[in-house]
Amino acid sequence: MAKEMLTGNAAAAWGVRLAEVDYIPAYPITPQTEIIETIAKWISDGEMDAGFVTMDSEHSMVTAAGAASATGARTFTTTSSQGLMYGFEMLFTVAGWRVPLVMVNVSRGLSAPITLGPDHNDILALRDTGFLQIHCETCQEVLDSVLMAYRLAEDDRVLLPLMVNMDGFFLSFTREAVEVPDVEKVRSFLPEYQPEHAFFRAGQPMAQGVAVLGGEFYSYFKYQMHLASQNALEVYREVSDDFERIFGRKYGTIDEYMMEDAEYVLVMTNSFSTLGKAAVKRARENGIKAGLLRPRFLRPFPEADIRNALKGKKAVAVIDQNISVGKGGIIYSEMASCLYNENSRPLMLSFIGGLGGKNISQEEFDLIFEKMIHAEDSGIVGLPHLLYTKKEWEGIKKLKEIAGRQ
């Protein structure tokens, strides 16, 4: 099948079109607006049959999307950064409704200071909402993940909303060769949604989103959400196998690159992992047995797959493109809790890099490998590192001088 040059945003739109979504409430925000512009044009031109409504805010948008999903409509919406934060309250509510809404988040750093470059504090702020999360490296992966997201979220063993994430600008506006699947093949993988849990029928009234008074009832429903999220890992294996059988592409809960004999491992997510893979190749040329592990799922967290992949490794460097102010890297903490009870576990180093889209240079990757090897030789891990080059430091000093600050 021929491939098309698509941006990450266009790939997301194609995923929505091929999923034959019924309803899209939308609100624009950079850098995701291209997704809804593309879908709106297709609907206007008669190439896509779906309802499309521009709402008055992201809060209204998420509310409308969750409500539509609760009537049994296959629903999609998308946002980014501050918009995601504006709809934050409703994300918990929609997840509690147990409806299979699929959203795309195009990651962008959070204010203040305001920026347009990507990092992951927006999407990682959602990790306790009940939304499942898939993080993508390439445009093809974005399209494919939207299709897999509906299949997974609509499974009656899961019934939780799902967020597909990509990096703003670095992937949303990057054109790559993408295979757009045939719609009949997609229908064989993702049949029409037949809701059995939440739907709207005049002859069968039901109450949804009811209040529960008493912690024992609240605890029951929250634990059911947790169990459903854990079920998603097993259901995903079936989804992934079917996807590979029909389309020939395989996606696990984690992506492993040169990991088989690796001793020193980088852990990265989303599109900056391509920089990490290039660094692994260079390290291999210099005689370092390097590898890279990219978690695709962050909720549920694929603990068993990660523990298995890191068995026998000497050192792991987690590069967090986020910062939990007052604690450090979010994924480092998740990885540490995942490995803590292992009898034999690798040394773990924490690096913060790529905030607001800051480049991670070859020099910085070289430093990371040096730190891992030194930690293995000495047994001393050291403090977390903020990746920042001398040239960048000189640049900020000049700006401070201009502002009259030392």
Side-chain angles (χ1 to χ4, degrees):
M1 180 173 288
K3 294 186 176 182
E4 298 183 29
M5 294 300 292
L6 298 178
T7 62
N9 281 341
W14 264 109
V16 176
R17 174 171 166 169
L18 290 168
E20 299 183 293
V21 166
D22 299 308
Y23 177 61
I24 303 113
Y27 191 79
I29 183 171
T30 300
Q32 71 81 12
T33 305
E34 183 189 11
I35 299 175
I36 57 174
E37 286 177 340
T38 304
I39 292 171
K41 184 176 187 308
W42 283 335
I43 294 172
S44 174
D45 293 346
E47 297 177 48
M48 182 174 168
D49 182 18
F52 184 98
V53 179
T54 302
M55 308 301 290
D56 61 1
S57 73
E58 287 88 351
H59 191 281
S60 304
M61 179 190 80
V62 177
T63 305
S69 198
T71 69
R74 183 173 281 167
T75 307
F76 171 79
T77 194
T78 176
T79 188
S80 172
S81 187
Q82 306 302 134
L84 189 64
M85 294 301 102
Y86 195 35
F88 193 67
E89 175 193 10
M90 287 309 300
L91 298 172
F92 284 87
T93 304
V94 170
W97 292 345
R98 300 290 305 273
V99 293
L101 167 65
V102 171
M103 292 182 66
V104 166
N105 181 62
V106 185
S107 272
R108 201 187 86 191
L110 292 169
S111 297
I114 194 166
T115 184
L116 294 178
D119 64 39
H120 306 141
N121 270 101
D122 58 354
I123 182 70
L124 291 176
L126 269 65
R127 62 191 188 278
D128 303 328
T129 59
F131 271 67
L132 312 179
Q133 292 188 17
I134 298 177
H135 292 241
C136 299
E137 181 184 64
T138 67
C139 296
Q140 182 73 63
E141 191 177 346
V142 171
L143 190 159
D144 293 346
S145 294
V146 170
L147 299 176
M148 298 171 89
Y150 281 106
R151 172 77 181 271
L152 181 60
E154 291 172 359
D155 191 289
D156 60 8
R157 293 165 289 179
V158 179
L159 287 174
L160 285 169
L162 195 152
M163 192 83 67
V164 176
N165 194 71
M166 70 170 125
D167 283 331
F169 291 87
F170 286 74
L171 195 59
S172 65
F173 297 144
T174 294
R175 288 186 187 276
E176 294 178 339
V178 175
E179 183 177 310
V180 178
D182 177 77
V183 68
E184 290 302 327
K185 274 190 171 183
V186 173
R187 286 173 182 156
S188 70
F189 171 75
L190 179 67
E192 184 180 354
Y193 179 38
Q194 300 290 341
E196 296 182 2
H197 156 65
F199 50 79
F200 184 78
R201 289 178 197 152
Q204 193 174 342
M206 69 170 73
Q208 296 185 34
V210 298
V212 292
L213 300 180
E216 67 273 32
F217 305 120
Y218 184 81
S219 299
Y220 169 80
F221 286 110
K222 283 295 180 185
Y223 193 56
Q224 290 299 310
M225 291 173 66
H226 176 70
L227 293 177
S229 181
Q230 294 298 304
N231 287 346
L233 290 171
E234 192 57 40
V235 175
Y236 180 72
R237 297 187 202 288
E238 301 171 17
V239 172
S240 178
D241 288 346
D242 279 354
F243 193 90
E244 183 184 19
R245 178 176 54 78
I246 295 171
F247 302 106
R249 292 183 290 278
K250 178 76 172 177
Y251 298 99
T253 61
I254 59 174
D255 173 27
E256 299 181 58
Y257 181 73
M258 294 189 174
M259 283 287 287
E260 192 172 342
D261 64 341
E263 296 176 342
Y264 301 96
V265 178
L266 302 177
V267 174
M268 302 179 73
T269 64
N270 292 277
S271 66
F272 275 46
S273 58
T274 57
L275 298 174
K277 289 178 177 178
V280 165
K281 282 187 72 175
R282 285 195 302 270
R284 288 263 173 181
E285 289 165 3
N286 292 325
I288 300 170
K289 289 186 176 180
L292 183 141
L293 185 153
R294 178 176 65 90
R296 251 174 53 82
F297 273 74
L298 287 182
R299 284 294 181 272
F301 199 67
E303 294 192 355
D305 289 343
I306 289 173
R307 280 196 292 264
N308 188 53
L310 295 180
K311 201 171 290 181
K313 308 307 181 192
K314 290 182 175 177
V316 173
V318 181
I319 305 176
D320 271 287
Q321 202 175 344
N322 64 78
I323 183 165
S324 175
V325 176
K327 181 64 174 74
I330 294 170
I331 296 175
Y332 174 80
S333 296
E334 303 244 332
M335 294 286 296
S337 69
C338 169
L339 296 171
Y340 182 77
N341 287 324
E342 294 298 289
N343 291 327
S344 176
R345 56 179 182 268
L347 296 170
M348 286 193 61
L349 290 77
S350 173
F351 296 86
I352 308 287
L355 296 182
K358 191 194 93 65
N359 183 45
I360 304 176
S361 65
Q362 180 174 338
E363 168 192 354
E364 288 167 308
F365 279 112
D366 290 344
L367 173 74
I368 291 168
F369 284 115
E370 286 174 17
K371 292 284 184 185
M372 280 197 282
I373 293 168
H374 175 72
E376 165 63 14
D377 291 342
S378 66
I380 301 171
V381 168
L383 297 172
H385 298 263
L386 173 68
L387 298 176
Y388 211 77
T389 64
K390 185 176 180 182
K391 183 178 179 182
E392 289 162 345
W393 173 239
E394 294 299 327
I396 198 72
K397 282 201 298 185
K398 283 183 183 175
L399 286 176
K400 288 172 71 177
E401 286 171 10
I402 293 170
R405 303 284 184 178
Q406 297 302 317

